[in-house]
């Protein structure tokens, strides 16, 4: 398993860098060329959402992105430090530890004032074939993955 | 790639040429241009996206915002786009039903002429 980690200040200009790095690692990991646009867009959406949330709640805190190739999957996790109470409350059932939330279900439950944030998550849910969102008071973690060649070469 | 914006008006239709990436960093410039055009009385806008390499939900938000502004003046905001990678995000979000999307500027101008 190889992991690349990237942390960046919550500035919109850095989102493009994160997209480029994610796309380059996805290509190297063996994600099919036809899926690279989806990786680029989904990672961009997750990072844009995180940047907007940090600018409101904690502009000095960095955003973290992990890119991991594991057993034939290319996995991306974007973690922010902004409280995602609105997202958490939109889905929360009980006072339990943060649980993984299906991206599509979460987007459909978002209140109207988080429309654009929900829009981004809905786009991610449509693009990645496996998405989990972990909302909590300490931040939001979005994990998404795509199939990749186990050899690191793009499948035919 | 950065965002390049240009615009010109032909027969009451203002054509906005967009080139590059529309994302959380560049979208505010497109928003400013659309607001400026509407404030100056341009209520029929055609955004040519044929040279757009990347569009995310922030960019979609700007286009929806522009549409709301022109509609407040009985205007229109339509798009020229044939790139599958860009059309996909409109389909995912259901916005293909909200925007008129044409295959070329000529086709859009023709439709606009019929609607006048």
């Amino acid at each position: 398993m190889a992991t690349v980690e990237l942390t960046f200040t919550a500035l919109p200009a850095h989102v493009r860098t994160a997209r480029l790095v994610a796309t380059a690692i996805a290509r190297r990991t063996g994600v099919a060329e036809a899926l690279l646009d989806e990786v680029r867009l989904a990672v961009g959406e997750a990072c844009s959402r995180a940047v907007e949330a940090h600018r409101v709640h904690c502009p000095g805190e960095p955003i973290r992105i992990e890119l991991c190739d594991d057993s034939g999957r290319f996995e991306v996790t974007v973690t922010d430090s902004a409280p995602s109470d609105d997202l958490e409350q939109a889905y929360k059932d009980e006072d339990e530890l943060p649980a993984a939330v299906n991206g599509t279900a979460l987007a459909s439950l978002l209140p109207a004032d988080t429309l654009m944030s929900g829009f981004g998550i809905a786009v991610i849910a449509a693009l990645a074939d496996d998405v989990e969102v972990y909302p909590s008071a300490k931040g939001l973690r979005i994990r998404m993955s795509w199939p990749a060649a186990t050899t690191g070469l793009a499948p035919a | 790639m950065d965002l390049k914006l240009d615009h010109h008006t032909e027969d009451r239709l203002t054509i906005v040429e967009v080139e590059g990436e529309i994302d959380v960093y560049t979208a505010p410039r497109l928003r400013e241009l659309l607001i400026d055009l509407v404030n100056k009385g341009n209520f029929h806008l055609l955004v040519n996206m044929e040279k757009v390499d990347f569009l995310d939900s922030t960019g979609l938000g700007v286009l929806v915002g522009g549409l709301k502004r022109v509609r407040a003046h009985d205007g229109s905001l339509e798009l020229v786009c044939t790139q599958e990678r860009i059309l996909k995000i409109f389909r995912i979000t259901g916005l293909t039903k909200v925007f008129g999307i044409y295959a070329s500027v000529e086709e859009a101008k023709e439709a606009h002429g019929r609607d006048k």
Side-chain angles (χ1 to χ4, degrees):
Chain A
M1 184 170 76
T3 302
V4 173
E5 281 189 38
L6 178 71
T7 55
F8 61 95
T9 312
L11 294 173
H14 295 329
V15 172
R16 181 170 186 265
T17 306
R19 282 200 310 265
L20 292 174
V21 170
T23 309
I25 305 280
R27 182 177 279 119
R28 183 175 161 71
T29 303
V31 174
E33 284 291 320
L35 294 177
L36 292 179
D37 271 340
E38 302 190 359
V39 171
R40 184 163 76 131
L41 182 52
V43 171
E45 291 291 349
C47 291
S48 298
R49 200 215 66 81
V51 166
E52 294 292 352
H54 272 228
R55 290 171 84 186
V56 172
H57 296 286
C58 49
E61 292 292 319
I63 292 157
R64 195 170 89 237
I65 174 167
E66 290 167 65
L67 307 140
C68 178
D69 109 58
D70 187 13
S71 312
R73 303 285 300 175
F74 172 64
E75 188 175 294
V76 181
T77 306
V78 178
T79 308
D80 69 55
S81 305
S84 52
D85 295 349
D86 49 350
L87 300 179
E88 193 181 18
Q89 290 306 320
Y91 195 80
K92 202 173 182 182
D93 291 328
E94 303 292 339
D95 291 332
E96 292 177 355
L97 289 172
V101 174
N102 173 279
T104 310
L106 180 64
S108 69
L109 288 165
L110 288 168
D113 61 350
T114 56
L115 178 66
M116 288 318 291
S117 169
F119 225 32
I121 290 174
V123 169
I124 294 166
L127 292 174
D129 58 24
D130 180 25
V131 183
E132 285 178 338
V133 183
Y134 301 85
S136 81
K138 291 178 183 170
L140 187 78
R141 186 155 51 99
I142 299 176
R143 193 195 60 73
M144 48 204 157
S145 70
W146 291 265
T150 48
T151 57
L153 298 170
Chain B
M1 187 185 191
D2 203 0
L3 185 69
K4 287 184 188 168
L5 298 171
D6 200 1
H7 66 91
H8 63 280
T9 301
E10 293 178 29
D11 192 22
R12 288 185 63 230
L13 181 65
T14 301
I15 301 169
V16 180
E17 302 284 353
V18 188
E19 183 177 349
E21 299 186 340
I22 311 174
D23 69 359
V24 67
Y25 179 55
T26 60
R29 285 179 46 213
L30 178 60
R31 181 188 295 120
E32 281 168 24
L33 175 61
L34 296 180
I35 290 172
D36 189 47
L37 288 171
V38 173
N39 287 346
K40 289 177 177 164
N42 302 282
F43 302 137
H44 292 282
L45 307 179
L46 178 64
V47 181
N48 185 358
M49 305 187 67
E50 285 298 80
K51 292 182 180 171
V52 171
D53 301 317
F54 181 84
L55 173 75
D56 69 6
S57 61
T58 319
L60 288 179
V62 168
L63 293 172
V64 171
L67 182 65
K68 282 175 67 177
R69 283 176 191 276
V70 293
R71 279 192 176 164
H73 299 277
D74 291 326
S76 62
L77 189 155
E78 293 174 319
L79 310 171
V80 173
C81 182
T82 57
Q83 296 186 78
E84 187 51 37
R85 65 161 75 166
I86 304 295
L87 289 170
K88 186 171 187 171
I89 189 168
F90 283 96
R91 275 200 286 273
I92 287 170
T93 52
L95 289 174
T96 45
K97 294 169 189 163
V98 174
F99 290 102
I101 301 179
Y102 296 95
S104 69
V105 171
E106 291 309 314
E107 189 183 300
K109 277 159 61 177
E110 220 171 89
H112 183 72
R114 281 197 302 271
D115 293 344
K116 270 198 298 187

